Amino acid sequence: MSSAHEAYSTHVVSNQVPPLVGHNTAGDPVLREGLEREGAAWALPEIDELGRLAGTQEAQDWGRLAERVPPRLHTHDRYGHRVDEVEYVPAYHQLMQTAVEHGLHAAPWADDRPGAHVARAAKFYAWNVDAGHGCPISMTYAVVPALRANPELATRFEPLLTNREYDFGLRDPETKRGLIAGMSMTEKQGGSDVRANTTTATPQTDGTYVLRGHKWFTSAPMSDLFLTLAQTEAGVSCFLVPRVLPGGERNAMRFMRLKDKLGNKSNASSEIEYDAATGWLVGEEGRGVRTIVEMVNMTRLDCVIGSSAGMRTALTMAAHHAKHRSAFGKLLIEQPAMRNVLADLQVESEAATTAMLRLAGANDRAIRGDEGEAALRRIALAVTKYYVCKRAPFMVNEALECLGGNGYIEDFDVARIYREMPLLSIWEGSGNVAALDALRALAKEPHTLDAFLAEAELAAGADARYDAALDRLKKEFTSFDDLELRARRIVGQLALVFQGSQLLRHAPAAVADAFCSSRLGRDWGGAFGTLSPRGDLDAILERALPV
């Protein structure tokens, strides 16, 4: 009876894929090769430690739980007192603690070793178990160069921002072991047009300013410090606003509501009002946009890192699924059509990650005073932020489709990555803002185009399709008519040439050839999985599987 029952059981589980655990997310060969090139191979032991942790079931559960149980806003306590607190599940704090202890926040600013900022980029890439907590980690990293516009404030707070201790709670920031920072720029009537802001800042006799106004997006509202923009008589100015004032009194920041977002639910994004909040001026009055743009440039780099990491994670999940799932008599990874799709996804991922690592290296060297690298970073970061963050949702969607119906189910985690991807194209300037910013840089700082073309010329002669693409790009600058109308066209070409130059110089021949044939030579159907059958798909696929 028992054997008959087993033979006719309605619940036999077969042909399902084992969980993707026990792998090293830092094992990506593209990442490791880039670390060697960009002078940060010395950090591999710590990056591997973090990558192995990210591949555990425990860390993945932290990310899943933090997203499934989003933060809650408490505006008042049980007695009716205003408290303006956000409550997080313990998993969120585990994620934050891990990120801070491994120096993903502002720690590189206190590290004199060449490659410190590249190492930090690699850690940010490897620790991709939850995107939401990456927002305050990113802003804490980015606040330091802007804060240095006020040396006195930098002296007070930078050691706490760079310290590797996560010390959550509302207390006087100078009594804590470590600090987290945020940014509060946009308002409901202006969005990216921050010069339209209506928040005001009035100077006081003690050197502080009183801020009044409503901010439409303030992420991570439980951070200790915020850079914010407000209007003075001189124009838009930048201020440091602490959540808690010296001495322990809470600053007058009122949380109106938390946003109900498409993704990134583990991070609290809020609307806040400054009701006579106290702030300190950072930089010159009237030059607030110029001051805070130092922070914006750093967070734009993290948009590229986050997009590249999401693309790689989704690809890894798709490749793992195809390696274990059978259909029509073969494993999926043996099916020619699926092999073309996965190889194409690998080319896209590798192009994004290779470009990201070159930018991380340029950032590291620019911070250390290299003016040529600073010029390259200025333009290459803007165009890569535009293009990679635009490509990421399309690529992750295709990776999700590799899992079939399972990909559409939240239990399989690819859906969570997919919901996150559009944010990184919007954050710090959506498509048109990013493209126009790149063109403004070229117009106002012509040496940035010189730096870009000098980088591109390093790969000239290696591939005829690349050379032709480079020539087409140069012709775009022979006329400046309708420049804004052509903004996306030009910036997309800049991004592709930048990616192609890096792959031709640093990637295996099979990857570079596939990129040049499809993205530059246009031997491509547009949809993923339409690479030329003449390419070496086997060599490309070897780089897609999890380690």
Side-chain angles (χ1 to χ4, degrees), residues 31 71 89 221 262 347 373 382 439 505 520:
L31 180 69
V89 292
L262 171 67
V347 170
E373 290 289 273
L439 295 187
R505 293 170 59 203
L520 301 180

Side-chain angles (χ1 to χ4, degrees), residues 1-12:
M1 184 69 177
S2 175
S3 59
H5 174 74
E6 291 173 0
Y8 293 98
S9 173
T10 60
H11 192 70
V12 175

Side-chain angles (χ1 to χ4, degrees), residues 132-448:
H133 82 288
C135 178
I137 292 299
S138 176
M139 291 189 294
T140 304
Y141 171 68
V143 76
V144 171
L147 188 60
R148 288 176 177 176
N150 185 322
E152 188 271 331
L153 292 177
T155 299
R156 287 170 62 184
F157 296 116
E158 190 172 322
L160 294 169
L161 290 164
T162 59
N163 196 30
R164 292 193 182 201
E165 287 197 61
Y166 176 60
D167 189 0
F168 183 78
L170 292 177
R171 302 193 303 282
D172 179 344
E174 291 180 270
T175 68
K176 300 183 74 174
R177 300 185 305 277
L179 301 178
I180 298 297
M183 178 167 52
S184 193
M185 290 174 58
T186 60
E187 297 182 8
K188 63 181 76 175
Q189 77 288 345
S192 296
D193 185 8
V194 295
R195 295 188 187 279
N197 284 2
T198 60
T199 297
T200 61
T202 305
Q204 306 299 295
T205 56
D206 63 357
T208 64
Y209 286 71
V210 169
L211 279 70
R212 289 182 172 87
H214 188 115
K215 293 293 182 181
W216 191 237
F217 278 107
T218 298
S219 286
M222 296 309 291
S223 299
D224 300 293
L225 306 168
F226 297 86
L227 278 190
T228 191
L229 295 178
Q231 297 277 4
T232 68
E233 290 185 357
V236 177
S237 305
C238 182
F239 297 89
L240 184 69
V241 181
R243 186 70 181 83
V244 178
L245 297 168
E249 180 185 355
R250 295 190 182 187
N251 208 354
M253 298 171 61
R254 310 302 183 206
F255 298 169
M256 309 311 293
R257 61 171 173 167
L258 300 186
K259 302 286 194 179
D260 186 7
K261 296 172 293 182
L262 171 67
N264 201 302
K265 293 180 180 292
S266 60
N267 174 44
S269 294
S270 64
E271 286 179 51
I272 67 168
E273 288 187 354
Y274 296 124
D275 185 12
T278 297
W280 298 292
L281 181 67
V282 179
E284 299 177 50
E285 269 199 45
R287 306 295 295 274
V289 174
R290 181 169 182 164
T291 299
I292 209 168
V293 80
E294 294 296 328
M295 184 175 188
V296 171
N297 282 333
M298 295 297 118
T299 47
R300 280 181 175 175
L301 176 58
D302 280 2
C303 288
V304 177
I305 300 170
S307 294
S308 301
M311 293 162 82
R312 174 64 191 186
T313 302
L315 167 62
T316 300
M317 291 176 172
H320 175 76
H321 179 88
K323 186 179 178 181
H324 295 277
R325 180 86 164 183
S326 296
F328 308 109
K330 291 182 180 178
L331 289 171
L332 284 176
I333 204 165
E334 296 171 351
Q335 300 281 6
M338 180 60 78
R339 293 178 68 77
N340 200 317
V341 169
L342 292 173
D344 211 350
L345 295 178
Q346 172 62 28
V347 170
E348 191 77 23
S349 172
E350 185 149 351
T353 302
T354 304
M356 176 273 287
L357 288 163
R358 177 65 183 95
L359 289 171
N363 184 53
D364 190 89
R365 290 182 281 276
I367 288 166
R368 299 174 197 284
D370 189 321
E371 293 182 2
E373 290 289 273
L376 176 65
R377 178 188 64 177
R378 175 67 182 94
I379 183 62
L381 176 56
V383 302
T384 303
K385 194 276 179 189
Y386 164 80
Y387 187 78
V388 167
C389 296
K390 281 282 182 211
R391 294 293 300 168
F394 294 104
M395 188 204 143
V396 174
N397 173 67
E398 193 69 56
L400 182 154
E401 192 174 318
C402 291
L403 276 70
N406 284 348
Y408 202 65
I409 304 302
E410 293 286 352
D411 292 350
F412 288 82
D413 290 335
V414 190
R416 174 157 53 105
I417 301 171
Y418 178 63
R419 285 187 285 105
E420 174 62 17
M421 287 299 100
L423 170 68
L424 295 168
S425 186
I426 297 169
W427 191 25
E428 306 304 21
S430 52
N432 286 345
V433 173
L436 292 172
D437 178 61
L439 295 187
R440 276 193 296 270
L442 294 172
K444 293 176 64 176
E445 306 167 76
H447 68 286
T448 61

